[in-house]
Amino acid sequence: MDPVDFADFADLVLRDAEVVDGTGAPSYRADVAVKDGRIVSIVKEAAAAGCQRPRARREMDVEGLVLAPGFIDMHAHSDLALLRDPDHSAKVAQGVTLEVIGQDGLSYAPVDDRTLEEVRRAITGWNGPGDDIDVDWRSVGEYLDRLDHGFDGRGIAVNAAYLIPQGTVRALVVGWEDREATPEELDRMRQVVAEGMEQGAVGMSSGLTYTPGMYASDAELTELCRVVAAHGGYWCPHHRSYGAGALQAYEEVVTLARTAGCPLHLAHATLNFAPNKGRAPELLALLDDALAAGADITLDTYPYTPGCTTLAALLPSWAGEGGPDALLARLADETVAERIRHDLEVTGSDGCHGVPVEWDTVEISGVTDPALAEYVGRTVRECADRRGEAPWTTARRLLVEDRLGTTVLQHVGHEENVREIMRHRVHTGGSDGVLQGARPHPRAYGTFPRYLGRYVRELGVLSLEECVAHLTGRPAARLRLPDRGVVREGYRADLVLFDPATVAPGATFEQPRALPTGIPYVLIDGRFVIEDGRRTDVLAGRAVRRA
């Protein structure tokens, strides 16, 4: 018998898959063929129809598994993790094939030498100190090039798109002072944002409860958003309050984006703290009115009630003016520290969303100094009680001794709000996953299987087809990716195969780094990064630049 010539065959055929294609349309059974990193053929109901089935060098029977586009994490904090950890199973094992980084207005490009060190210290709690990474870039384009290169030129674990961090831009041009930008500084910030967009960023993020981005006026933000819109990007704000002034803060960014003519994507869009219990319908009505009037709005959420941030982020904004060193100096001053305590515990600081802090809801999730490990896993109040001191005394001690690197979970969310918002037609999924700390929020390792397991299979909040569209096709449309996010011929073969009957997160608050179950296969660019439930050594990820 003559040898078979595979020259015109596909590289891979996935036979009898239950395809959930990312559009929200009903699922269908099909053979899906992949060649050179793209989907080249989809033959529906191939076995039943008795038609010519696609052939490939490798053919897999995947009956019983759902084939979907790879999940897109619309809010990730893997800015350094992608360069630190070639395995990156936190995201790969969930079926994530693309992360959007540069979130909350603070990241590592564009910078100069001064700004780089300031930003490193400000977000140590998100990404670690960063002294293990050779930061050989300064511009957005150079950072994206570094992601392309990855590990020895082989790439990174998953694809990554980048948002220009508005707080970093302000630190670069204005510094960490709470003041209006001069006309010359505003011109320079516009130029820096334009350069970042031209170099491939997909938009701009803001952290309007984080210094120094929170010092920007609406007029300043509007001008920067106009630049983003002119280059085809979107604005992704962490707005000024998720607590006492949440609905007003949502209205502010909706109005601002419409004034600027800029598409808007609301970061981790939820309503937290006691004043907002059951108020999700009011937020959704605000968004529906804006959408009906022609606004371009999307949002992301994670499927959990607790939030996650740094302990320093809870402090009033005036305390952080001047940067990390200035904040530490204020904490060391007894008189100034008392003012900070009063703002936190009595007034309700802007860093804590205008709500007086409740120390029994603030759980220490990670520290950078190993000598402080005893605090991890306990609330600030529990730690204070063990030491026989006031909670603020304990919190202040942690801030100073850990050099602002402490991360916390805030148990302030409401399940009914989470469910209402995830049903909305402009909703997408984002983990907001911080990978640092001894006990990080389990959303970093569990967001996407939790959507599929708890909110689809167990609770029926979303249908399977709806949920997959929220995690794939809809975010790809927001990112303006012309060939990702849908199972379609000609599209990139970034794919996930999961068992709808068993898919579930392994991560819990007690074991936050446990990997999920029910996701045996994940492909990026047609190559297996998860195979038979195990991480391969494939590094198929690259920087995804604005189309």
Side-chain angles (χ1 to χ4, degrees):
M1 180 180 293
D2 292 335
V4 176
D5 182 3
F6 285 98
D8 295 326
F9 284 26
D11 300 322
L12 171 71
V13 168
L14 303 169
R15 294 212 183 282
D16 293 321
E18 189 66 24
V19 177
V20 178
D21 68 5
T23 68
S27 66
Y28 59 86
R29 185 173 166 131
D31 291 352
V32 178
V34 173
K35 183 174 183 178
D36 297 332
R38 293 188 179 270
I39 299 168
V40 293
S41 177
I42 300 174
V43 180
K44 296 183 179 182
E45 297 290 345
C51 62
Q52 181 65 41
R53 307 184 73 171
R55 300 290 304 278
R57 294 175 176 85
R58 180 178 180 184
E59 301 178 3
M60 293 176 57
D61 182 355
V62 296
E63 186 173 7
L65 297 179
V66 167
L67 176 65
F71 304 135
I72 297 176
D73 188 342
M74 286 295 287
H75 193 106
H77 287 285
S78 302
D79 307 47
L80 296 185
L82 286 166
L83 297 173
R84 177 183 290 130
D85 178 16
D87 182 80
H88 201 46
S89 285
K91 297 302 177 66
V92 177
Q94 293 187 62
V96 171
T97 58
L98 192 157
E99 297 183 274
V100 185
I101 55 178
Q103 298 285 351
D104 294 326
L106 287 167
S107 189
Y108 304 93
V111 292
D112 57 15
D113 292 349
R114 170 189 61 82
T115 312
L116 173 62
E117 292 309 310
E118 293 168 341
V119 168
R120 268 178 160 168
R121 294 183 62 190
I123 55 175
T124 291
W126 295 354
N127 297 300
D131 51 9
D132 57 331
I133 303 293
D134 178 16
V135 180
D136 55 358
W137 66 84
R138 292 296 180 267
S139 70
V140 170
E142 290 168 346
Y143 175 62
L144 296 178
D145 289 344
R146 177 66 182 277
L147 292 175
D148 279 338
H149 184 270
F151 297 87
D152 300 322
R154 295 186 298 129
I156 50 180
V158 303
N159 297 307
Y162 190 69
L163 294 167
I164 302 165
Q166 169 259 328
T168 300
V169 172
R170 198 172 212 272
L172 177 67
V173 177
V174 180
W176 295 72
E177 291 74 38
D178 183 2
R179 64 172 176 82
E180 291 284 331
T182 67
E184 294 77 17
E185 288 168 338
L186 183 54
D187 283 344
R188 176 60 182 147
M189 283 191 284
R190 280 194 291 246
Q191 179 184 355
V192 171
V193 171
E195 289 170 353
M197 294 299 298
E198 290 162 2
Q199 292 164 6
V202 296
M204 180 180 76
S205 73
S206 292
L208 301 180
T209 65
Y210 298 122
T211 59
M214 68 191 306
Y215 300 143
S217 66
D218 284 2
E220 178 181 314
L221 293 167
T222 299
E223 288 303 308
L224 299 183
C225 284
R226 286 191 170 114
V227 176
V228 172
H231 287 81
Y234 68 93
W235 182 39
C236 179
H238 164 130
H239 50 274
R240 297 192 191 274
S241 176
Y242 290 79
L247 288 170
Q248 295 90 333
Y250 278 114
E251 186 173 6
E252 175 195 15
V253 295
V254 168
T255 301
L256 192 157
R258 294 188 66 191
T259 299
C262 187
L264 176 66
H265 181 84
L266 298 168
H268 37 61
T270 188
L271 288 161
N272 292 332
F273 302 93
N276 292 313
K277 184 176 176 61
R279 300 188 72 184
E282 296 176 59
L283 168 61
L284 300 181
L286 168 67
L287 299 184
D288 285 337
D289 287 346
L291 290 163
D296 183 353
I297 302 174
T298 51
L299 58 87
D300 66 68
T301 71
Y302 48 83
Y304 297 84
T305 53
C308 176
T309 188
T310 62
L311 183 58
L314 306 184
L315 305 182
S317 59
W318 61 261
E321 183 179 1
D325 285 335
L327 173 54
L328 287 167
R330 292 184 180 104
L331 288 166
D333 184 301
E334 293 294 337
T335 301
V336 180
E338 173 57 22
R339 283 184 59 204
I340 295 173
R341 184 205 66 79
H342 187 273
D343 273 12
L344 265 174
E345 296 186 344
V346 180
T347 306
S349 74
D350 48 4
C352 198
H353 308 277
V355 178
V357 68
E358 296 178 358
W359 292 116
D360 54 355
T361 69
V362 181
E363 176 186 347
I364 307 303
S365 60
V367 292
T368 56
D369 183 350
L372 302 171
E374 64 180 287
Y375 291 93
V376 175
R378 297 187 175 98
T379 68
V380 171
R381 184 172 297 281
E382 288 171 338
C383 294
D385 289 347
R386 289 167 66 93
R387 297 183 64 90
E389 61 190 17
W392 166 241
T393 303
T394 299
R396 181 183 173 196
R397 183 195 313 279
L398 268 171
L399 288 162
V400 172
E401 294 182 7
D402 208 25
R403 308 294 292 177
L404 310 180
T406 304
T407 52
V408 299
L409 306 183
Q410 276 190 286
H411 297 270
V412 292
H414 306 287
E415 178 67 18
E416 62 268 44
N417 287 345
V418 171
R419 296 189 193 185
E420 284 288 333
I421 294 168
M422 76 169 62
R423 290 187 180 101
H424 198 272
R425 66 186 186 280
V426 300
H427 170 265
T428 68
S431 71
D432 195 12
V434 173
L435 302 171
Q436 295 298 305
R439 291 179 65 171
H441 197 304
R443 68 194 186 193
Y445 285 74
T447 285
F448 295 88
R450 182 170 169 87
Y451 268 118
L452 297 166
R454 178 162 177 77
Y455 289 96
V456 172
R457 184 180 64 245
E458 296 176 7
L459 299 177
V461 174
L462 296 169
S463 72
L464 181 59
E465 289 87 351
E466 287 174 325
C467 185
V468 169
H470 288 212
L471 307 181
T472 61
R474 188 173 298 160
R478 164 51 76 217
L479 295 168
R480 297 189 178 182
L481 302 178
D483 57 357
R484 299 178 194 265
V486 178
V487 179
R488 184 174 292 165
E489 290 180 359
Y491 276 49
R492 291 183 180 272
D494 294 351
L495 302 168
V496 58
L497 284 152
F498 63 88
D499 182 349
T502 63
V503 61
T508 64
F509 287 98
E510 293 73 30
Q511 299 291 330
R513 287 189 168 88
L515 297 180
T517 56
I519 306 178
Y521 300 100
V522 182
L523 297 92
I524 296 178
D525 203 34
R527 303 162 66 192
F528 284 100
V529 294
I530 296 288
E531 188 169 8
D532 293 325
R534 298 182 179 87
R535 178 73 170 97
T536 71
D537 61 0
V538 170
L539 294 171
R542 298 293 186 273
V544 175
R545 292 166 172 82
R546 179 181 53 85

